[in-house]
C-alpha cells in the first residue's frame, strides 16, 4: 500500500505554461514534507514544509502543505525547458529511533519549447 | 561546502566480486543514509546512520553491508550481488533535529554482471 501518491505521473506542457503537481501522503508521526527535483542523478532539494497553509516560494516555484487533508502541491509558473525533470515528494516521519523519508513515484514533467 | 561526494561514479562488478561504495560529507551532518534507485522508480531507503550508529535497516539483504567509520564517511560493502541489484545507489546526509533537509550525492551507477 502506497504511503505517498503523486499525480499526475507524467505531464507534458509548453514553455510558459503553469503546472500544479500533487502529493498526498499517509504516514504516522509526520514531521515535514519535502520536495525534490531529480534530473539525471542526485535529487536536489526544493522545499521543506512543516506548517499548514504557509506558502513557500523560490522564484517561479511555490509549494504549500495541508496537514489536515495530508496533501501538498508544487506550482511552477512560466515553465522553462530547464524545468523538465522528475519531481519527487517525500514525507519525513519517525521510523523508530530516527526520522526517514519515503519518496512518492514522482511526476515526470516535460516542458517543450 | 554543501556537497555529498560519492565514489566511484560507475561500477561494474561480477557476482563473485567484493566491492565498496564510498560517501563523504564535510557539512557536520550526523545523519547519513543509503538509498537504492532503480530506473524510473523513486529512491528507496536502505540504511540510516545516526551519530555513526546504524539506526534503521529497511530489511536489506546481508550482501549489502554498511559501515560508518566516522562522522564524515559512509561506506556500503557489496558481496555476492545479483544482477537485480543493479541500480543507482544514492548517499544522503542531514543534520539531526527539526527542519533539516537531506542533501544527496550524485550516486554510484552499479551494474552487476
Amino acid at each position: 500500500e502506497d504511503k505517498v501518491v503523486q499525480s499526475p505521473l507524467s505531464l507534458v506542457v509548453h514553455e510558459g505554461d503553469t503546472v500544479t503537481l500533487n502529493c498526498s501522503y499517509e504516514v504516522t508521526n509526520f514531521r515535514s514534507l519535502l520536495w525534490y527535483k531529480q534530473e539525471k542523478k542526485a535529487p536536489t532539494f526544493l522545499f521543506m514544509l512543516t506548517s499548514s497553509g504557509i506558502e513557500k516560494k523560490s522564484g517561479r516555484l511555490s509549494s504549500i502543505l495541508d496537514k489536515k487533508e495530508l496533501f501538498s502541491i508544487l506550482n511552477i509558473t512560466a515553465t522553462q525547458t530547464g524545468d523538465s525533470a522528475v519531481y519527487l515528494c517525500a514525507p519525513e516521519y519517525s521510523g523508530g529511533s530516527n526520522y526517514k523519508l519515503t519518496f512518492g513515484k514522482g511526476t515526470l514533467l516535460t516542458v517543450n519549447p | 561546502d554543501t556537497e555529498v561526494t560519492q565514489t566511484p561514479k560507475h561500477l561494474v562488478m561480477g557476482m563473485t566480486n567484493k566491492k565498496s561504495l564510498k560517501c563523504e560529507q564535510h557539512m557536520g551532518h550526523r545523519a547519513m543514509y543509503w538509498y537504492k534507485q532503480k530506473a524510473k522508480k523513486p529512491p528507496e531507503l536502505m540504511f540510516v546512520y545516526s551519530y555513526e550508529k546504524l539506526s534503521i535497516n529497511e530489511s536489506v539483504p546481508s550482501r549489502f553491508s554498511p559501515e560508518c567509520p566516522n562522522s564524515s564517511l559512509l561506506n556500503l560493502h557489496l558481496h555476492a550481488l545479483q544482477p537485480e541489484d543493479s541500480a543507482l545507489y544514492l548517499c544522503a546526509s542531514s543534520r539531526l533535529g527539526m527542519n533539516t533537509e537531506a542533501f544527496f550525492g550524485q550516486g554510484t551507477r552499479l551494474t552487476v554482471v
Side-chain angles (χ1 to χ4, degrees):
Chain A
E1 186 179 334
D2 286 347
K3 291 187 169 91
V4 189
V5 178
Q6 290 188 245
S7 64
L9 289 180
S10 67
L11 188 56
V12 180
V13 300
H14 292 289
E15 270 192 317
D17 289 350
T18 292
V19 298
T20 298
L21 311 182
N22 306 296
C23 174
S24 63
Y25 61 92
E26 188 173 341
V27 298
T28 54
N29 299 314
F30 171 87
R31 182 160 79 170
S32 65
L33 186 126
L34 288 84
W35 283 96
Y36 284 85
K37 176 183 180 183
Q38 187 172 28
E39 293 175 88
K40 290 187 178 174
K41 287 231 177 146
T44 53
F45 172 76
L46 295 175
F47 296 109
M48 171 182 274
L49 304 159
T50 55
S51 301
S52 275
I54 298 174
E55 186 183 49
K56 290 210 170 180
K57 293 196 74 168
S58 176
R60 296 175 294 102
L61 277 66
S62 64
S63 185
I64 198 162
L65 175 68
D66 185 332
K67 288 166 76 172
K68 184 178 175 186
E69 299 296 328
L70 309 182
F71 190 82
S72 176
I73 61 172
L74 175 68
N75 281 318
I76 308 175
T77 58
T79 51
Q80 302 171 356
T81 54
D83 295 327
S84 297
V86 174
Y87 290 84
L88 297 162
C89 80
E92 185 188 29
Y93 61 101
S94 175
S97 57
N98 212 329
Y99 281 88
K100 57 183 182 179
L101 297 177
T102 291
F103 287 87
K105 289 186 167 66
T107 293
L108 173 60
L109 175 65
T110 304
V111 182
N112 290 323
Chain B
D1 183 3
T2 56
E3 272 198 3
V4 176
T5 304
Q6 289 187 244
T7 55
K9 289 185 170 50
H10 300 275
L11 178 63
V12 179
M13 61 185 289
M15 288 189 282
T16 58
N17 291 158
K18 284 186 182 180
K19 295 286 184 184
S20 297
L21 309 185
K22 297 186 183 302
C23 174
E24 189 169 1
Q25 57 87 16
H26 296 286
M27 295 178 276
H29 291 170
R30 302 308 293 273
M32 295 187 78
Y33 313 81
W34 280 114
Y35 284 85
K36 174 183 177 179
Q37 187 172 24
K38 302 281 277 183
K40 299 186 179 181
K41 299 283 187 184
E44 292 179 358
L45 183 66
M46 299 174 73
F47 302 104
V48 179
Y49 271 82
S50 174
Y51 292 109
E52 297 88 70
K53 288 186 171 34
L54 183 65
S55 59
I56 294 177
N57 176 341
E58 294 284 87
S59 302
V60 179
S62 59
R63 57 186 185 270
F64 295 91
S65 175
E67 178 198 19
C68 191
N70 60 54
S71 60
S72 299
L73 294 174
L74 184 66
N75 299 321
L76 186 63
H77 303 298
L78 314 172
H79 174 55
L81 294 195
Q82 303 295 312
E84 58 264 30
D85 296 321
S86 299
L88 179 68
Y89 288 84
L90 292 162
C91 171
S93 71
S94 70
R95 295 192 309 274
L96 285 166
M98 297 295 290
N99 300 325
T100 61
E101 70 270 26
F103 291 85
F104 283 82
Q106 291 297 309
T108 294
R109 177 76 61 190
L110 174 68
T111 303
V112 181
V113 296

